[in-house]
Each structure stands twice: as C-alpha cells, then as structure tokens.
Amino acid sequence: MADDTHTNEPDLIKDPDLEGWNQVPLHDGYVNLIGPYYVKTNDLGHTQTAFRAQARHLNGGGSVHGGCLLSLADTALYLIAYPRLEGSHVVTLQLDSQFISPGREGDIIIASGEVIRAGASVVFVKGQLQAQDRVILTFSGILKRIKPKV
Amino acid sequence: MADDTHTNEPDLIKDPDLEGWNQVPLHDGYVNLIGPYYVKTNDLGHTQTAFRAQARHLNGGGSVHGGCLLSLADTALYLIAYPRLEGSHVVTLQLDSQFISPGREGDIIIASGEVIRAGASVVFVKGQLQAQDRVILTFSGILKRIKPKV
Amino acid sequence: MADDTHTNEPDLIKDPDLEGWNQVPLHDGYVNLIGPYYVKTNDLGHTQTAFRAQARHLNGGGSVHGGCLLSLADTALYLIAYPRLEGSHVVTLQLDSQFISPGREGDIIIASGEVIRAGASVVFVKGQLQAQDRVILTFSGILKRIKPKV
Amino acid sequence: MADDTHTNEPDLIKDPDLEGWNQVPLHDGYVNLIGPYYVKTNDLGHTQTAFRAQARHLNGGGSVHGGCLLSLADTALYLIAYPRLEGSHVVTLQLDSQFISPGREGDIIIASGEVIRAGASVVFVKGQLQAQDRVILTFSGILKRIKPKV
C-alpha cells in the first residue's frame, strides 16, 4: 500500500533467525540505504549488530561485497564502543580488516566484539563478523573522542 | 517511462565535475545499491573510481559513513589492480584504512592508487580517497588470486 | 669462561616468573639479538611467547620501543600458526597492530593468540601482548604458505 | 682505542652507500641494540632512515626478520613526523604493514614516507622500506600527541 512503501523491509524482523533483535536505533541515512541492521546485547553485555545478506549486497562474483562487510564492521565498531563513550562524540580513526571467508546470499551476518581499552582520547575495539559458526571477517579499529558540537 | 525507472541516476554523469568519466562496468548489485560509481584512467595509466556523496551516504553525524568510504576503497582496490590481474579472479584478503578527514554531502570523492607488487599469488595495492585537494582516507590492501570457477 | 660466552643470558630462565617456559627453539639471529624469547603452550593448546623487557629494549621516552613489541608480535604470529602449518614454509604477508598501553622495563610481556583460519594458501592469526593483566598491543596478521626450498 | 670500543660500529658510516647520512640522534637503547640507524633529509625535505641488514638481523629462513623491518618502520614513523610535531611528545597508536618482498643480508634498507595529515591530536603517516629499487615493506601509522611529562 502507498502508506508503507517507504518502510525498509519491516517484515524482516519477523525472521525467526532474528527474533529478539531490534532495529538499529540510528538516524543514519547510509544504514537505511544498505540495511536494515539489527542489534542485540549478548550475555556478556556486548552489543551485536546483524543484517541478512541479500542479492543487493553481492558483488559480481556472487559473494557479499567487501564494502558491505566493512560497512557492518564500521557500524559495529561504534555500537560496541557505545556503552564506554559516556556521551563523547567519536569519529573512526582507523579500521583494519581481514577477509576470512566469503559471505553468501541469505546469511545472517553478525558482528560482535569488545572494547580493548577506553582511554580519555581514544577507544580501541576489536571484533569479527560471523555467519553461524563461520568467521567472515575480523577487524580492529580505533575511535577518537571529539568535542560535541554545540 | 516504466522501463527505465530502475536506472540509477543516469543523469549524474552529466555532472560537469564528472565529465570524461564512465560508469563502472561491473555487474555488481552492491555497487548499484550504493553507487553509481564512475571510472577514469589518469595520466599515469592508473584507474580512478569516484562517486558523489549524497544525503543517503551520510551517517547520523552528517558526514559520509565510514562504511561508504570503505566500500569505495574496496571497489577501487580491485579496479586499481585489474590491469595487473591478467585474467585472474581475485578476492580481497585484507584492507587497512586510516580516516584522515570527513567526507561531506556534495563531495565528489575520488579513489586513486597504485599496485605496489603484482606477484604470482597476491597483489599489493595502496591508495587514497580525496575530495578535491583534501585527503579523506588512505588504504592498503592485498588481493589473492584464486582459480577461476569452471 | 670461554665456553659460555656465547650463551644468551641463560640465567633469565631461572626467573620465577618464567618457570615452566622454554627458550624459543629457533635458529634465528635476530631473536638471539633482541631476545631471549621463551615459549609455553597454554591450556587451550595455544603457543605463548614471552620476553622480559630490559633497559636495552626501551626507546628514548623510557617505554619499550614499538619495534621491540612488533618483533615479539611477528615471532608470535609464526609460533601461534606453527601447529597448523603442517610442514609448510611461510612468510608474513601483513601485520596490523594497535598500541594499547606502554610496555615498561621489567615487564614480562607475553604474546598469545589463535589461528582464525588455516587455509590452503594463507593462515590468519590474531593475538595480543600482555604484561600481567594489562594489554600492551593487539595484532592481526596473515601468513602465506610458500613452497619449501629444495 | 679502549675509550671508543663501546661505540656501535662507527666505521659503518664510512660505507660509500651511506655517505652523507648521519647516525640517528636518538638516545634510544633499542635503536642502539639493533642499529645503528642513519638519517638523511631528501630533496622533498622528508626524513629518510636507513640501516644495513647484517647476519644478526636475519630470521631462521635467511631473510631479514619481520620484526627488524617493523622496528625500522616504527622509528621512521616518528622521524618522518618529527618536523610536524612542533614539540609535542607522541606515542604510536597504530601501525599497519604489508611485507612486499624479503630483505637480504647486505641490503641497505631505507625507510621514507610522508605526513598525510598533522592534526591537533593525531598525526597520520605513510611510508615504505626499500632496498635500491625493490620495495620491501609498506606501512601506515598514526601517532597521538600527548602532554609532555613535567
């Protein structure tokens, strides 16, 4: 219907594989473009971020595009660090990644990780993307705290 | 008309800033989703890849999303290496990136770089993203040659 | 005496902090220069590599030199991967590192980590350096299998 | 003479390949251990750092140890940035590296590079190690400015 054509696949969240997940609470045009992304807090209190790989996420070789995986990693970097930011605005300073195995259409790809150190000026995070038991990508990144815009 | 409404902003290429560029010749669902991307060969014979940052590429802070920049970098990694692949299929093995300055809405962001070494099994590439004279991101990556699917 | 002048601080291994460790079994001139390094297998079957930071390992600022930490990381990369190499000779293809906190004189710095994937052509490893509970450095690296010299 | 036997291979600087270079002016125990290192400013005003690879720098495979290359890279990172530090003390925050080709005994290995951006809180550098025309290693790193100790 006309009144719901703008919504971003709202039925995906009914996917039994994503039960208990919530849509990412970011006002973020880019995540809306490539998402939706979903979040959940795991038993260790760490934030996990996920999406389901679809045809529109694939490269010409039929695997999930590297940039699509890195987009999830960069968003996850922020969400993993968020509980340790205590209100700081941050920017990504650096992101390293290793492509361990390809992502496939239909995979639910979940990013998880941890803060290695939350310092006064920078926050170190490492994490990985998995589809079930298969590691897709590992990453490390550094966020820099910046003064909030006033 | 209905039969061309699916094309992805074909008028952007008339942008005077992108005169002389061609749309990326990849059958790549993800590049169609986040692009269009444009390519040009510079005076040194190196392939440059570009896109115009639009509202849909921004994060919640109003800058171009890091994942959007990394998506361009990962695509450029392949296109920079392409003339040295001699028919090999490749996968990205690793990508490092440093976020030098933010990308802004309206920027034409251009990825350029060079092959450091094209070996028998891996290809080393480094490059950067710029908007005019401003460096946005630097990256280094390694591609691994794989046997073509038969 | 003449017969022991070539040994490399053999008494360090009597250090109670390094009880149960063995000197690294590598014929490696560089490790002899900057070491000695010690190894132990932890409860998960992972190889740990250690050294005691001394005055000769410090930079001008009084912390352990970054290159000294990276030297341990690069050696550990190989030793962590070793059980999965099955006789392959390897070279380091790439190493990423984040400097989490400084190493200090007197610290016993221990590198540990795990193989993320041991493929037919490359092996992915991640790890970290710690001094007691303090993380010093995190790293990720890729080794490439090469044909043995015959 | 007895009074200069503690100097670190002072005759190396007479090496015709290193004419015009000066010994690194760092009070740095680790550089003394693995060096000597030499510096020169190139035509672009960039600082280059060099050493001659000797038997004591080799790994068990007969190539220059990766950690030895990374030690030069980490020192060069600082020396490349130095003219832009304006008195700031800095620490290495992160270092990425790609191993392009092996270093060999006898090589004079020269590190060069440039500052990509010297910001108020961090400085981005990229560089490479070469032996004559052969690229040995490429690296990117970030230094963080810290308050000087008083």
Side-chain angles (χ1 to χ4, degrees), chain C residues 27-123:
Chain C
H27 298 286
D28 189 308
Y30 183 69
V31 168
N32 285 341
L33 174 64
I34 64 168
Y37 282 175
Y38 297 94
V39 287
K40 195 172 73 172
T41 303
N42 73 6
D43 296 342
L44 296 168
H46 298 157
T47 302
Q48 294 183 297
T49 312
F51 80 111
R52 181 180 286 279
Q54 299 167 295
R56 62 199 176 100
H57 299 122
L58 304 184
N59 63 25
S63 303
V64 178
H65 193 288
C68 182
L69 299 174
L70 294 169
S71 295
L72 179 63
D74 186 51
T75 301
L77 186 68
Y78 174 74
L79 292 171
I80 291 165
Y82 186 79
R84 304 289 293 277
L85 299 185
E86 296 167 349
S88 294
H89 289 225
V90 291
V91 293
T92 304
L93 203 53
Q94 177 264 335
L95 187 72
D96 293 337
S97 55
Q98 290 78 35
F99 292 77
I100 309 299
S101 65
R104 299 297 183 198
E105 187 176 351
D107 280 345
I108 291 183
I109 299 181
I110 299 176
S112 54
E114 60 181 306
V115 172
I116 304 297
R117 195 169 82 87
S121 59
V122 293
V123 180

Side-chain angles (χ1 to χ4, degrees), chain A residues 29 32 126:
Chain A
N32 285 340
K126 68 174 179 182

Side-chain angles (χ1 to χ4, degrees), chain B residues 94 96 98-100 116-117 124 126 128 135 138 140 142, chain D residues 94 96 98-100 116-117 124 126 128 135 138 140 142:
Chain B
Q94 177 265 336
D96 293 336
Q98 290 77 33
F99 292 78
I100 311 296
I116 303 298
R117 194 167 83 87
F124 297 90
K126 68 174 179 184
Q128 60 183 21
V135 179
T138 56
S140 300
I142 305 176
Chain D
Q94 176 264 335
D96 293 336
Q98 290 77 34
F99 292 78
I100 310 298
I116 303 298
R117 194 168 83 87
F124 297 90
K126 69 173 178 183
Q128 60 183 23
V135 179
T138 56
S140 300
I142 306 176

Side-chain angles (χ1 to χ4, degrees), chain B residues 20-99:
Chain B
W21 292 74
N22 293 297
Q23 195 156 341
V24 164
L26 295 173
H27 299 286
D28 190 310
Y30 183 69
V31 168
N32 285 341
L33 174 64
I34 63 168
Y37 283 175
Y38 297 95
V39 287
K40 196 171 72 171
T41 303
N42 74 6
D43 297 343
L44 296 169
H46 298 158
T47 301
Q48 294 182 299
T49 312
F51 81 112
R52 182 181 286 279
Q54 297 168 296
R56 62 200 176 97
H57 299 121
L58 305 184
N59 62 26
S63 303
V64 178
H65 192 287
C68 182
L69 300 174
L70 294 170
S71 295
L72 180 63
D74 186 51
T75 301
L77 185 68
Y78 174 74
L79 292 171
I80 290 165
Y82 186 79
R84 305 291 292 279
L85 299 186
E86 297 167 347
S88 295
H89 289 225
V90 291
V91 293
T92 304
L93 202 54
Q94 177 265 336
L95 187 71
D96 293 336
S97 55
Q98 290 77 33
F99 292 78

